[in-house]
Amino acid sequence: MTAPTGLAGVPLSIEPLTKKDYTSDQEVRWCPGCGDYSILATFQSMVATLGIKRENTVIVSGIGCSSRFPYYVDAYGMHSIHGRAPAIATGVAMTRPDLNVWVVTGDGDALSIGGNHLMHALRRNVNMTIMLFNNRIYGLTKGQYSPTSEVGKITKSTPFGSLDTPFNPISLAIGAEASFVARSIDSDRKHLTEVLTAATRHRGTSLVEIYQNCPIFNDDAFETLKGPEGALISLRDGEPVLFAGGEYCVIRTDSGELKVSVTADVDPASIVVHDETRADPSQAFALSRLTEPGILQQAPIGIFRNVTRPAYDDLVRDQITDVRADDPTSALASVIAGGDTWEADEK
Amino acid sequence: MPETLPLRRVVIRFAGDSGDGMQLTGDRFTAETALFGNDIATLPNFPAEIRAPQGTLPGVSSFQLHFASFGIVTPGDVPDVLVAMNPAALKANLRDLPRGGVIVVDTADFTKRNLAKIGWASNPLEDGSLTNYSVHAIDLTGLATAAVSEFGLSRKDASRTKNMFALGLLSWLYSRPTDATFRFLGEKFAKLPVIRDANIAAFKAGYAYGETTEVFEVQYQVPPAPMPKGRYRQITGNLATAYGLIVGAQKAGMRLFLGTYPITPASDILHELSKRKDVGVMTFQAEDEIAAVGAAIGASFAGSLGVTSTSGPGVALKSEAIGLGVMTELPLVVVNVQRSGPSTGMPTKTEQADLLQALFGRNGESPVPVLAAKSSTDCFDTAVEACRIAVKYRTPVIMLSDGYLANGAEPWKIPNLDDIEQIEPGFATEINGEINGKPHFMPYDRDPETLARSWAIPGTPGLEHRIGGIEKAALTGNVSYDPDNHELMTRTRQAKIDGIVRDIPDLEVDDPSGEARVLVLGWGSTYGPIDASARLVRKTGRNVATAHLRHLNPMPANLGQVLTAYDRVLVPEMNLGQLATVLQARYLVPVSSYSRVRGLPISITELESDLISTIDALQEENR
């Protein structure tokens, strides 16, 4: 067995590992019914299938409910400060190609206080996977609206309704030059496992937005999407974009826009065929815009974009390898000795 | 031939428009002078604007060099010689020149219009206002342009060689060696042979002009200064800091990782370290100051030596992350090249007003060792020491430098790297405890002597653990809100930093007579002015003691004793008395604060006369 591209350089485990190996001795302390439980369980099972050594996984988080995640995984981890996890993980990934690096963050942590770091990690394409738990609310600070809350949201800090336009994290990531962008949902373990596995295979920054229910402050935020009649638009590479059992589809209109239609009413040739590897990001971006900005009635899930682009940390290490002196110790001595020197005698 | 006059010391200030190449001219004259074997100290002084409007006072850039046949510690208060390349440079610097001082001035720009631009109604070269000075008014631009006519340069390019003409002239006047400058120009303009040759021609023309004309009656000779035996080079504080960080990491057997964001006057540390991939240094120019320190902490977590270099405004942004370093007890070196504040302040001007920020500028009880370099060359030793403390005690360390040290140059005895002590990171590789009878790694188990915690890096089998910014349970490092645990951990973190006192030398007092009753206590870059003033005071037959702190936290064990051993303690600082405040709070002794916040080093002559008054007043009181 060899490690996938995204994990090349990470040592492989001789013994097969299980979910239990990745379960720490810490009691999980999320609220009953929190979507984080199923994401944690899915992650622990998924990471055990990667075939890598347990001690070579590092999870860095910021602040928020989701950021408690590292404590519950028996690997190396850092629960850091608000919004900065991508920056800290960048330092880990650059210096250690033998590590499987993860960032766990939420909609407040990643998109509000840490927006700048997220954007630049994606731009650089540092080899790591970012799980963005999006519950569209601030949980840890007890229920204020977040940068993904719908306009008009009534919360403790917006008693007359929130006024600011929400971010679409997928659109944002594609705009920030991300090479791997996907979305999944806490309630679908199979789908989440597939997406996370694909994310680890990708070399560079993988952003996975995970719709996650907060039963306390924003319960059922994603309920309208679920069930056989729901409007989760599942993206499959190489396949036409059909959903709700094929009843609906996504077509490209004559003016070039993407639009949801009733499959029976359209010319089958106009149905969009998804290609996650397209170099041009415009179709992936257009698909991301099918997400309702307000109360969610429809949203695509799956991998929007998965393109090959050099990982920043690989380039950094390659550059050092290229210019590194054969004997760094003597090279250092000669650098320090400088060019123009003179000899002094005590006079 | 003019006669050769021996001098012991000279201070030259080169001043011109910011586009005139004054920093380069000063650097080259410094290099020639260092190679000749004089002791040197320099003070570059330039506007923050890259190109302020030409010919205006805000656009004036200057470079001051003090060189001598004996050991010196400062670039000098005032110049003996002012080289002014335009009217603005003359006007901006004239007030610093003592009567009788030498002025070499380029007459080319002394037009009515240019004079009016800076508010001069008449030409000072003609109206007799400079009679107190020894003025050499020379059309440097015209002579340089003529000297390079054969190269077919544009008028603008030709006139730009005037700085090399001036350098050639000064090199002759002070009998400087010239080979290194030719070599330098050859390398700098290797791809532009015409520019290279024109600059060399202008330099030679300037040198010959001094030799053949009778403008100068004398040629000066400043003999080499005696220095301890060894091989020397010149070095700026920022370069010395960069080298110290590389050597510190190398001595620990760790990769040096610099996460940083460009900021004046610290950027040269990034520039140098980004070149040093040849010795394995990794640099990361982050999106902001916070990401810079964050990446450095990430690198340290993963087993490298994380470093971040910045100035005061950057430290303000990094404060929360430094606190994370305190809580997670990971090595981190934060270099603050201080500049005038608050806010953006004066980015290119020096100050020492970030001491209290370094000591206390974080939320919660957040002790951090603080070290300050006293001179440009001392930046090397201080940086190595900062790395040593950071690794040994698993803690962020703040190293304070400042704009004056960062850009100023001194001769540096090239160290033998084998003489520098190794640093042992002592990574944990074994299980060190148990819970309920089961073996368990305890990341917050401590070395009983240093209180440094057990540090296991990712990839170490069996020692998987989690750390973070939430309060840690002693030993396990698990999240803990237990009141007694927080009290214990708060006191333990403080005790760990306080305990570093056992690892630092006692404060040494320089009191040659042993009879001084006044102590001058400094820290950081005030070392030079304090030492120079004290020497002058002692020459008057008075006694004065001096001492200098490298370690600001913890402070040397004997400091309390030193403070009470003198009748008066004077603390000169380029701030409003920050060290003085700390000393009084901690040691309950009266100290006199001596504050100057002009964006410039403290004046030697002023400090000398103030010291004399203090000493004499004390004498009077006790009579």
Side-chain angles (χ1 to χ4, degrees), chain B residues 145-182:
Chain B
T145 308
V148 301
S149 60
E150 60 177 294
F151 297 100
L153 300 178
S154 68
R155 217 177 110 206
K156 194 173 156 220
D157 279 348
S159 74
R160 287 181 70 177
T161 63
K162 67 184 169 187
N163 65 332
M164 284 300 121
F165 186 94
L167 180 63
L169 179 61
L170 270 291
S171 297
W172 169 81
L173 187 61
Y174 290 100
S175 319
R176 303 289 97 185
T178 57
D179 286 354
T181 293
F182 295 140

Side-chain angles (χ1 to χ4, degrees), chain B residues 244-586:
Chain B
L245 295 171
I246 300 174
V247 170
Q250 193 227 24
K251 288 288 161 186
M254 298 163 84
R255 180 196 284 286
L256 181 66
F257 179 94
L258 175 78
T260 195
Y261 186 79
I263 184 169
T264 303
S267 300
D268 279 342
I269 297 172
L270 164 64
H271 301 160
E272 179 59 26
L273 290 178
S274 57
K275 278 191 232 163
R276 293 284 77 91
K277 293 180 176 66
D278 54 355
V279 297
V281 174
M282 191 177 270
T283 56
F284 174 57
Q285 182 176 315
E287 57 272 22
D288 61 26
E289 297 279 2
I290 300 170
V293 66
I297 289 173
S300 281
F301 177 65
S304 294
L305 179 53
V307 170
T308 189
S309 53
T310 187
S311 189
V315 176
L317 286 165
K318 293 177 200 292
S319 301
E320 188 192 16
I322 298 171
L324 177 67
V326 170
M327 196 60 138
T328 53
E329 303 192 38
L330 287 170
L332 171 72
V333 177
V334 180
V335 179
N336 177 358
V337 184
Q338 298 166 94
R339 67 189 210 188
S340 302
S343 189
T344 307
M346 301 193 287
T348 58
K349 309 297 176 197
T350 197
E351 206 159 270
Q352 292 181 295
D354 298 345
L355 176 61
L356 295 182
Q357 179 194 40
L359 291 171
F360 307 115
R362 289 164 298 284
N363 61 304
E365 292 292 346
S366 184
V368 160
V370 178
L371 286 77
K374 68 177 182 180
S375 64
S376 299
T377 56
D378 188 51
C379 286
F380 176 83
D381 301 310
T382 307
V384 174
E385 173 82 347
C387 294
R388 188 176 70 85
I389 293 175
V391 172
K392 182 170 175 182
Y393 293 89
R394 285 86 162 102
T395 178
V397 173
I398 296 180
M399 168 179 165
L400 297 173
S401 168
D402 64 39
Y404 166 52
L405 301 184
N407 292 315
E410 280 184 324
W412 184 44
K413 186 168 175 223
I414 300 162
N416 181 351
L417 300 183
D418 295 337
D419 296 344
I420 298 170
E421 214 183 317
Q422 291 294 126
I423 300 167
E424 296 300 337
F427 296 125
T429 53
E430 307 278 335
I431 293 282
N432 58 355
E434 55 173 52
I435 294 177
N436 302 331
K438 278 196 205 153
H440 199 280
F441 176 59
M442 302 292 189
Y444 281 75
D445 181 39
R446 293 175 190 278
D447 178 302
E449 197 181 319
T450 61
L451 298 181
R453 74 171 182 90
S454 277
W455 179 22
I457 62 171
T460 314
L463 306 192
E464 295 83 355
H465 65 280
R466 278 66 56 194
I467 57 174
I470 299 187
E471 182 60 284
K472 304 272 144 296
L475 296 178
T476 64
N478 291 333
V479 170
S480 171
Y481 287 89
D482 179 71
D484 293 337
N485 178 73
H486 178 55
E487 175 104 23
L488 172 70
M489 291 299 275
T490 304
R491 291 186 186 282
T492 304
R493 284 186 288 267
Q494 184 67 47
K496 178 177 82 167
I497 303 308
D498 290 346
I500 298 171
V501 73
R502 294 188 297 267
D503 213 0
I504 64 175
D506 269 354
L507 181 66
E508 281 179 35
V509 178
D510 181 27
D511 181 6
S513 68
E515 288 174 11
R517 297 169 57 202
V518 173
L519 170 72
V520 188
L521 178 66
W523 70 278
S525 75
T526 51
Y527 171 75
I530 291 172
D531 190 63
S533 312
R535 285 193 220 174
L536 294 172
V537 169
R538 287 171 194 146
K539 272 191 190 159
T540 69
R542 293 171 177 84
N543 297 318
V544 64
T546 60
H548 211 75
L549 288 169
R550 164 181 284 175
H551 294 272
L552 281 318
N553 190 41
M555 292 182 176
N558 67 333
L559 179 58
Q561 277 171 297
V562 170
L563 289 172
T564 49
Y566 293 87
D567 293 340
R568 185 133 321 157
V569 179
L570 195 70
V571 181
E573 296 176 86
M574 293 187 288
N575 60 43
L576 294 184
Q578 299 193 4
L579 177 64
T581 301
V582 174
L583 293 175
Q584 292 182 100
R586 203 164 281 174

Side-chain angles (χ1 to χ4, degrees), chain A residues 302-323:
Chain A
I303 300 165
F304 289 76
R305 181 168 168 77
N306 183 5
V307 296
T308 303
R309 179 157 84 78
Y312 172 76
D313 47 316
D314 285 332
L315 296 174
V316 168
R317 289 184 295 263
D318 289 350
Q319 199 174 53
I320 292 175
T321 307
D322 283 351
V323 302

Side-chain angles (χ1 to χ4, degrees), chain A residues 14 34 53 84 95 130 132 142 146 169 201 230 273 284 300 321 337:
Chain A
I14 297 161
C34 178
K53 288 188 168 177
R84 318 305 172 197
T95 51
I130 302 174
L132 195 170
K142 300 190 172 54
S146 92
R201 291 180 181 282
V273 177
T321 307

